[in-house]
């Protein structure tokens, strides 16, 4: 689909790596597979670029951005192997995406990402229950 192609291109342009596509979700990492100085900034720039690119085509996208430890690499069995990232940072990004969907917010960042990039991007701090 068009949004997956756009997602892969945007992530790559911003020095990230797409690990897996599941349904309509593009899972990307910054600073996990390869070192990426300024990974928080790059991930937010990628999220905003993806939102702009798809919004212009009438496609709504919600992105959750989090920073934290994750274990990345191949996962599976001899019959089925895939690249995967697992860990608290991944779970938090998924929670940010769900929060954004419920609250109609295109990009939602965790507190650690907010603290790192709020001086660069205009952002509003929202404390969720």
């Amino acid at each position: 689909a068009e949004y997956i192609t756009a997602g892969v291109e945007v992530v790559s342009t911003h020095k990230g790596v797409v690990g897996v596509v599941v349904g309509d979700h593009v899972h990307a990492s910054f600073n996990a597979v390869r070192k990426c100085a300024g990974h928080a900034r790059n991930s937010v720039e990628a999220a905003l670029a993806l939102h702009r690119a798809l919004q212009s085509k009438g496609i709504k996208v919600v992105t959750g951005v989090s920073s934290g430890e994750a274990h990345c690499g191949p996962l599976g069995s001899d019959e089925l192997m895939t690249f995967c990232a697992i860990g608290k940072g991944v779970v938090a990004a998924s929670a940010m995406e769900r929060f954004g969907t419920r609250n109609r917010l295109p990009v939602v960042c965790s507190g650690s990402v907010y603290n790192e990039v709020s001086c660069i991007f205009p952002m509003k701090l929202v404390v969720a229950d």
Side-chain angles (χ1 to χ4, degrees):
E2 189 174 0
Y3 60 89
I4 294 173
T5 300
V8 171
E9 288 174 0
V10 165
V11 167
S12 179
T13 298
H14 290 87
K15 301 178 184 171
V17 175
V18 172
V20 67
V21 175
V22 178
D24 62 352
H25 289 76
V26 176
H27 296 248
S29 62
F30 295 78
N31 203 43
V33 176
R34 64 173 98 116
K35 291 293 179 189
C36 174
H39 62 277
R41 179 183 184 148
N42 288 352
S43 61
V44 172
E45 285 176 344
L48 293 170
L50 182 62
H51 174 69
R52 284 190 301 270
L54 295 178
Q55 184 181 35
S56 68
K57 298 174 191 237
I59 300 170
K60 293 184 180 183
V61 63
V62 176
T63 306
V65 181
S66 181
S67 183
E69 287 190 28
H71 300 283
C72 301
L75 181 69
S77 67
D78 291 339
E79 292 80 28
L80 179 63
M81 186 67 66
T82 187
F83 176 85
C84 190
I86 56 175
K88 290 181 181 179
V90 178
V91 173
S94 179
M96 300 296 110
E97 185 270 334
R98 286 190 308 275
F99 181 84
T101 299
R102 283 193 311 270
N103 294 282
R104 297 188 175 134
L105 301 169
V107 179
V108 179
C109 302
S110 66
S112 60
V113 173
Y114 174 86
N115 290 337
E116 196 166 333
V117 302
S118 61
C119 60
I120 301 167
F121 302 101
M123 300 178 110
K124 181 167 109 177
L125 180 62
V126 176
V127 179
D129 293 337

